[in-house]
Amino acid sequence: MFGNAEIGIDLGTANTLVYTKTKGIVLNEPSVVAIDTNTNQVVAVGSEAKEMVGKTPRNIIPIRPLKDGVIADYDITAQMLKEILKKVSKKIGVSMRKPTVVVCTPSGSTTVERRAIHNAVKSFGAKQVHLIEEPIAAAIGADLPVDEPIASVIVDIGGGTSEVAIISFGGVVSSESVRVGGDKMDEDITQFVRKEFNVLIGERTAENIKMEIGHALIEHEEESMEVRGRDLVTGLPKTITVTSTQVQQAIRESLESILDTVHNTLENCPPELSGDIVDQGVTLTGGGALIKGMQEWLANEIYVPVQLAPNPLESVAIGTGRSLKMIHKLQKAVK
């Protein structure tokens, strides 16, 4: 019966999620591959490879094959997908022979970038590959009425990109994407700590700081956190204390460019749909939606209600899987 499985893949810059019709989300792992440079072999994929970041011998390099939501390293992405499908087969106990796959692509991606995603998925033996725009997948996963003539606004803050789209009748009416997301905020924090304290921290430490004490641009009670890094002057390990106000300052620019993208999309909205947006509001998905105060800050800035999707980290994957049922309807709208 499973000779032709149907799966949805959210191929994200930070995480790759796989959804199957029968079991829901069966895999959620970081999009990281560890390669042995001597043999060009894949040593580890996903969580195991992420654990190695910043801790490997010289010949083993952890690589993130996706950058800004699109494929930066084609061969490694194809190898990563192969390994991921092996894991999925093991987990659900059936072989993934020639599955039908729906993959999402960023709405701002070019034809070449889309083809790269299509070919990478096809190369591991998928029978059919359907591409769906990420905002539409996120909206389906967030239980929004995408195929009705009502405007649904989705703000998807991912690892590599943030996408804002107004969706009506199963298609994107207006959308903007900016290559700023969780990764850029981690970079901002790393740069800030380097400038302010002369200390170098790893990307995982920066991510932890963002998750623990990162706040959107709202007033809050200051929190602090002890962080270890390498002192750039002495070269020795050093512990410093970072406050949430400093983190706010570090990620301000990235948050503001996401806000500009929301503004631009709403300004391009047809007047007929503007009334719906005031009633329906905006739905937040993606990992960035979980930054403290994000919902409140956006609502204050755009004067419309903002709600969080039921499970922001999984919306796109759930939507990708659910869209299998309605793919023909959606593809008409996408073309």
Side-chain angles (χ1 to χ4, degrees):
M1 150 195 175
F2 266 99
N4 182 11
E6 291 188 336
I7 59 172
I9 300 178
D10 169 12
L11 197 53
T13 311
N15 291 306
T16 297
L17 287 82
V18 179
Y19 180 99
T20 67
K21 242 180 178 170
T22 44
K23 306 253 173 136
I25 288 182
V26 289
L27 184 121
N28 177 357
E29 298 223 349
S31 306
V32 183
V33 182
I35 299 279
D36 184 334
T37 51
N38 296 342
T39 60
N40 261 351
Q41 293 297 307
V42 172
V43 184
V45 167
S47 308
E48 214 181 312
K50 189 172 182 180
E51 285 297 321
M52 296 179 174
V53 172
K55 301 178 183 174
T56 54
R58 275 190 196 153
N59 61 315
I60 291 177
I61 314 177
I63 295 174
R64 296 178 66 170
L66 290 120
K67 187 122 186 68
D68 302 334
V70 292
I71 291 178
D73 191 316
Y74 179 80
D75 295 332
I76 293 179
T77 304
Q79 281 180 293
M80 179 178 84
L81 283 166
K82 253 181 208 141
E83 294 301 319
I84 280 172
L85 277 204
K86 272 189 210 158
K87 284 189 181 186
V88 171
S89 297
K90 254 190 212 153
K91 270 198 179 163
I92 60 176
V94 289
S95 84
M96 282 286 170
R97 258 187 18 257
K98 299 206 166 164
T100 297
V101 181
V102 178
V103 194
C104 55
T105 59
S107 57
S109 55
T110 62
T111 317
V112 175
E113 289 166 341
R114 283 166 194 243
R115 177 146 300 146
I117 291 175
H118 184 280
N119 293 347
V121 175
K122 196 88 180 171
S123 76
F124 66 69
K127 183 182 173 201
Q128 276 181 309
V129 180
H130 301 289
L131 299 181
I132 176 175
E133 289 193 50
E134 211 165 289
I136 294 185
I140 296 171
D143 299 326
L144 297 179
V146 285
D147 43 3
E148 290 175 28
I150 301 171
S152 301
V153 183
I154 198 95
V155 176
D156 179 19
I157 306 170
T161 49
S162 293
E163 306 206 36
V164 185
I166 299 168
I167 296 161
S168 178
F169 264 139
V172 173
V173 178
S174 156
S175 78
E176 289 257 342
S177 79
V178 60
R179 296 196 170 185
V180 170
D183 290 354
K184 176 75 175 69
M185 293 181 212
D186 297 347
E187 248 169 71
D188 295 341
I189 292 168
T190 308
Q191 293 301 336
F192 179 84
V193 171
R194 189 180 188 146
K195 237 164 63 191
E196 192 74 13
F197 299 98
N198 237 339
V199 167
L200 190 62
I201 56 170
E203 56 183 75
R204 292 192 58 192
T205 307
E207 188 182 12
N208 286 339
I209 295 174
K210 176 188 70 185
M211 286 155 69
E212 294 279 322
I213 58 171
H215 282 78
L217 308 178
I218 54 162
E219 282 189 18
H220 64 281
E221 216 169 290
E222 194 171 74
E223 299 168 279
S224 61
M225 179 179 176
E226 282 204 340
V227 179
R228 293 189 183 89
R230 191 176 83 230
D231 190 316
L232 287 165
V233 181
T234 64
L236 300 172
K238 185 177 180 182
T239 303
I240 53 166
T241 302
V242 182
T243 69
S244 53
T245 318
Q246 289 172 322
V247 176
Q248 217 174 20
Q249 194 183 326
I251 63 176
R252 173 179 288 275
E253 209 175 297
S254 292
L255 290 171
E256 283 174 348
S257 60
I258 292 170
L259 179 64
D260 287 345
T261 312
V262 176
H263 272 303
N264 295 343
T265 313
L266 294 178
E267 278 166 18
N268 292 331
C269 174
E272 291 295 327
L273 294 174
S274 291
D276 291 346
I277 295 173
V278 176
D279 296 340
Q280 306 285 327
V282 168
T283 303
L284 268 180
T285 74
L290 299 173
I291 289 176
K292 294 172 190 165
M294 197 67 169
Q295 204 175 338
E296 186 190 327
W297 172 62
L298 269 182
N300 292 341
E301 294 287 341
I302 58 176
Y303 308 113
V304 295
V306 174
Q307 59 267 351
L308 209 53
N311 27 12
L313 287 169
E314 297 176 350
S315 297
V316 175
I318 293 171
T320 310
R322 282 187 192 161
S323 69
L324 287 159
K325 288 199 226 44
M326 47 203 295
I327 196 74
H328 301 297
K329 213 197 258 180
L330 288 171
Q331 281 190 327
K332 282 189 193 99
V334 170
K335 274 174 192 166

